[in-house]
Amino acid sequence: AKEGKKIIHKRQKLIKIADKCTDGWQVVEEYESDELASDSEDEKKLKKAKEAAGKKRKAKEQKRYDEKRQKSRSSGSDL
């Protein structure tokens, strides 16, 4: 029973993190990928996860922008 409650508590925490962050589940993914951090380092770990997720989101946005720009150049129109 204790183990089940622990799992549920962890899942609820991850859902709250995803809901509060602009990058949502990407932050959770980054957060969970850093398994070396202890509970005392939790806040640092979350900050690092947010930053990593933000960088990934910005890189995707830049890629889409570049692709759109390249496509418009090849068709002869400007953005």
Side-chain angles (χ1 to χ4, degrees):
K2 277 188 176 183
E3 187 63 31
K5 286 183 179 183
K6 191 175 182 180
I7 292 170
I8 290 171
H9 178 73
K10 181 179 180 183
R11 182 70 179 163
Q12 287 174 330
K13 180 179 179 177
L14 297 177
I15 291 169
K16 287 178 184 179
I17 290 170
D19 285 347
K20 288 185 177 188
C21 299
T22 304
D23 296 307
W25 287 101
Q26 184 68 42
V27 173
V28 173
E29 187 177 306
E30 293 292 332
Y31 178 80
E32 289 211 290
S33 70
D34 186 2
E35 295 178 22
L36 297 175
S38 68
D39 289 335
S40 64
E41 296 176 329
D42 213 30
E43 197 169 320
K44 289 179 189 176
K45 185 178 170 185
L46 179 56
K47 183 179 178 184
K48 183 179 172 184
K50 285 180 181 180
E51 289 170 357
K55 286 179 184 179
K56 286 183 179 182
R57 176 181 42 84
K58 288 175 185 176
K60 279 184 184 178
E61 289 171 354
Q62 184 65 45
K63 183 179 178 185
R64 278 192 224 123
Y65 174 79
D66 291 344
E67 288 171 351
K68 187 176 180 181
R69 191 169 172 197
Q70 183 66 31
K71 186 177 179 181
S72 68
R73 284 185 176 175
S74 64
S75 67
S77 65
D78 284 335
L79 288 179

